[in-house]
Amino acid sequence: MDVIILAAGQGKRMRSVLPKVLQPLAGKPMLAHVIDTARSLEAGRIVVVYGHGGEVVRDALNAPDLAWARQDPPQGTGHAVQQAMPLVEDGGIALVLYGDVPLIGAATLRRLLAAASEQSLALLTVGMDKPTGYGRILRDEAGRVQRIVEEKDATPAERLVQEVNTGILAAPVARLRQWLSQLRNDNAQGEYYLTDIIAMAVADGLEVITAQPDAFEETLGVNNKTQLAELERIHQKNIARRLTDEGVTLIDPARIDVRGELICGRDVEIDVNCVFEGRVELGDGVRIGANCVVVNARIAAGTKIKPFSHIEDTVMGEACIIGPYARTRPGTVLGQDVHLGNFVEVKNSVIADHSKANHLAYVGDADIGQRVNVGAGTITCNYDGVNKFRTVIEDDVFIGSDTQLVAPVRVGQGATLGAGTTLTKDAPAGQLTVSRARQVSVPGWQRPEKIKKS
Ligand code: UD1
Ligand code: MG
């Protein structure tokens, strides 16, 4: 089975410089959704038909398992499929999909494919109360499909038909090649209609078998940003439904956005307005507070992320307490029971078990041992304006508030840094190191008085 994905339409109504099929749905181009669905069907070849300016599409999504056929100018859906045919293998079935129909599901397509054979063509149809704009499925008295008529070519009586063509079909390749070569464009739109192959199949004695999608929205196409936003909501609702079915507690299933893969253990709880991007794994009992953004992260069991935290390219151990208002940037690796409090930023650093930075700190390019306390306002000065250097803080160190560690610098095991220290040399283990001017009090000192202007 080979898949042909039509993606040559210009998509002017998106009013965007980005080609329509590259517009993201759940953070991924619409066309990539369709390609991934085709892949899940174990397609032989996947041929994408792209149009004028479509090199951007090809460059964005190219992969070794894809073939590309150019259609320029577009002359209809039949003409589009024709462009793909030199790349399609004889002897099998061709499945036609659309780059702007992103929610089509693999289960639906498997049922459709099961109905296609050398002797039959399978067509995905839906019933619609208001079928305006769609091709109508015309059947004989016995209910057998005879042909499809496009809205613009239909008689008033034909327009009353409520069974419509979704455009998705599966047909035997050798026959399809033959039918496509016979298409004509003497119709209302002057286009080569793919839908005209239905009557040809019937004339050749093939059975046209119709199938319906598992869910109606699988067949919805996107022509403008309003429809894209509608599909985004439908898709997010489906993801939320899958999560709650799996046992995840979503405080409000309508207020979560998953733009990638979210894998959850047991008893995970996610509060409202969280966004997950890339691949995110949440272990058993993880709780994510309201308004968090979590990108490419692995968060182990029992860890709690409090509201308004931003987690990116981070690995967290078990039973950590993060936030509110914490930010972990790429390369953050936390052990178990690490606490990061409000306005703490961590980047490219390893923080070992039971260490804490609870308030207002910047930890960048640092290796922090176990049971370290990083006081409020502590900053690793990792950047001299040209190069970056590491800070090493060994186990059981206590760092007083408002300390600056000018990297490269090392703080030995069990050392204490006095509050306000600017550390420019290594601090020895087990000792107090403090660098600040001695405190003086000046007896008899008086505040200056305001000078009177004359
Ligand atoms: C088509 C069907 C119609 C069906 C409807 C479902 C035909 C003749 N009609 O109509 O029966 O009810 O879809 O939405 O097939 N495309 C190309 N190259 C072209 C023309 C189209 O790649 O030359 C692509 C478009 O990008 C789009 C898809 O094919 O993804 C459908 O094209 P569109 O013009 O929207 O078809 P409709 O007229 O809506
Ligand atoms: Mg059209």
Side-chain angles (χ1 to χ4, degrees):
M1 186 270 300
D2 288 351
V3 177
I4 300 167
I5 304 175
L6 303 195
Q10 292 193 349
K12 277 196 196 121
R13 281 174 283 168
M14 299 303 281
R15 297 173 180 269
S16 168
V17 288
L18 190 68
K20 174 160 86 170
V21 293
L22 289 185
Q23 301 279 340
L25 180 95
K28 183 166 96 174
M30 281 197 279
L31 176 56
H33 284 265
V34 183
I35 290 170
D36 286 347
T37 303
R39 284 178 176 141
S40 78
L41 299 169
E42 275 128 43
R45 287 206 180 155
I46 300 173
V47 185
V48 182
V49 181
Y50 68 103
H52 175 76
E55 284 76 14
V56 186
V57 176
R58 201 185 53 194
D59 293 347
L61 298 179
N62 210 359
D65 62 340
L66 301 181
W68 299 83
R70 194 178 151 95
Q71 186 203 22
D72 186 18
Q75 298 172 58
T77 49
H79 180 255
V81 173
Q82 231 167 11
Q83 310 314 303
M85 291 315 283
L87 297 163
V88 172
E89 294 242 17
D90 261 324
I93 301 292
L95 172 67
V96 179
L97 302 177
Y98 299 84
D100 57 1
V101 183
L103 298 186
I104 187 66
T108 293
L109 293 176
R110 280 202 193 92
R111 278 195 294 106
L112 185 76
L113 284 164
S117 70
E118 287 299 320
Q119 281 78 44
S120 61
L121 183 152
L123 193 60
L124 194 68
T125 71
V126 287
M128 276 183 146
D129 291 341
K130 290 186 191 135
T132 311
Y134 290 88
R136 308 297 206 281
I137 309 295
L138 303 182
R139 295 175 182 265
D140 66 10
E141 311 79 57
R144 289 174 300 219
V145 174
Q146 296 300 294
R147 60 189 177 97
I148 295 176
V149 63
E150 292 303 299
E151 164 103 7
K152 286 183 177 142
D153 301 287
T155 64
E158 289 168 341
R159 285 183 190 173
L160 295 176
V161 173
Q162 290 181 318
E163 186 186 9
V164 308
N165 174 33
T166 65
I168 294 169
L169 58 82
V173 171
R175 301 277 198 168
L176 181 61
R177 227 185 272 288
Q178 203 184 318
W179 299 327
L180 289 169
S181 69
Q182 293 166 24
L183 287 180
R184 292 149 46 119
N185 64 351
D186 51 352
N187 51 50
Q189 301 185 77
E191 288 181 2
Y192 297 93
Y193 291 162
L194 177 62
T195 44
D196 284 350
I197 69 167
I198 306 303
M200 295 178 187
V202 172
D204 282 352
L206 277 80
E207 192 184 356
V208 177
I209 301 173
T210 55
Q212 280 68 47
D214 288 343
F216 173 70
E217 54 244 32
E218 289 183 31
T219 64
L220 290 176
V222 172
N223 293 307
N224 55 43
K225 292 274 176 85
T226 303
Q227 291 169 341
L228 180 61
E230 284 165 4
L231 285 206
E232 178 78 31
R233 280 306 102 211
I234 290 169
H235 186 57
Q236 293 299 342
K237 192 190 75 195
N238 291 342
I239 293 171
R241 175 64 199 260
R242 204 201 66 222
L243 290 169
T244 52
D245 282 350
E246 286 171 5
V248 177
T249 299
L250 300 180
I251 300 302
D252 182 357
R255 283 185 286 168
I256 178 172
D257 283 84
V258 180
R259 301 174 191 149
E261 207 183 346
L262 176 59
I263 300 145
C264 295
R266 292 177 89 89
D267 296 308
V268 167
E269 183 182 302
I270 300 171
D271 209 335
V272 300
N273 296 331
C274 292
V275 178
F276 298 90
E277 290 178 15
R279 187 185 160 88
V280 175
E281 276 179 59
L282 306 179
D284 294 349
V286 165
R287 296 175 74 164
I288 310 287
N291 301 296
C292 289
V293 177
V294 185
V295 184
N296 296 321
R298 217 164 68 225
I299 300 176
T303 286
K304 190 171 179 189
I305 314 280
K306 294 184 180 178
F308 295 100
S309 294
H310 189 281
I311 309 299
E312 187 180 3
D313 292 300
T314 291
V315 178
M316 285 183 195
E318 293 180 4
C320 293
I321 301 177
I322 309 298
Y325 298 100
R327 179 176 183 207
T328 64
R329 292 169 49 200
T332 297
V333 179
L334 308 182
Q336 293 184 20
D337 181 39
V338 171
H339 295 193
L340 302 178
N342 39 241
F343 307 108
V344 171
E345 175 182 346
V346 179
K347 184 216 74 169
N348 191 28
S349 295
V350 179
I351 304 180
D353 301 351
H354 315 295
S355 288
K356 297 175 176 54
N358 272 326
H359 332 266
L360 303 155
Y362 174 58
V363 176
D365 302 309
D367 298 291
I368 298 183
Q370 300 189 17
R371 295 170 302 277
V372 168
N373 187 85
V374 177
T378 295
I379 288 173
T380 54
C381 308
N382 57 327
Y383 186 50
D384 62 8
V386 186
N387 295 302
K388 292 195 173 147
F389 300 97
R390 287 197 86 79
T391 298
V392 178
I393 301 171
E394 296 181 357
D395 294 346
D396 299 298
V397 164
F398 181 93
I399 299 177
S401 298
D402 197 25
T403 293
Q404 302 103 54
L405 299 119
V406 182
V409 75
R410 171 180 287 267
V411 183
Q413 188 174 346
T416 297
L417 302 187
T421 292
T422 300
L423 194 73
T424 52
K425 291 180 290 201
D426 291 356
Q431 294 182 21
L432 169 68
T433 298
V434 58
S435 80
R436 58 179 182 234
R438 271 188 195 283
Q439 182 169 321
V440 292
S441 301
V442 182
W445 178 86
Q446 302 233 310
R447 284 188 189 168
E449 278 178 23
K450 193 166 177 78
I451 299 165
K452 286 207 175 83
K453 286 189 185 132
S454 49

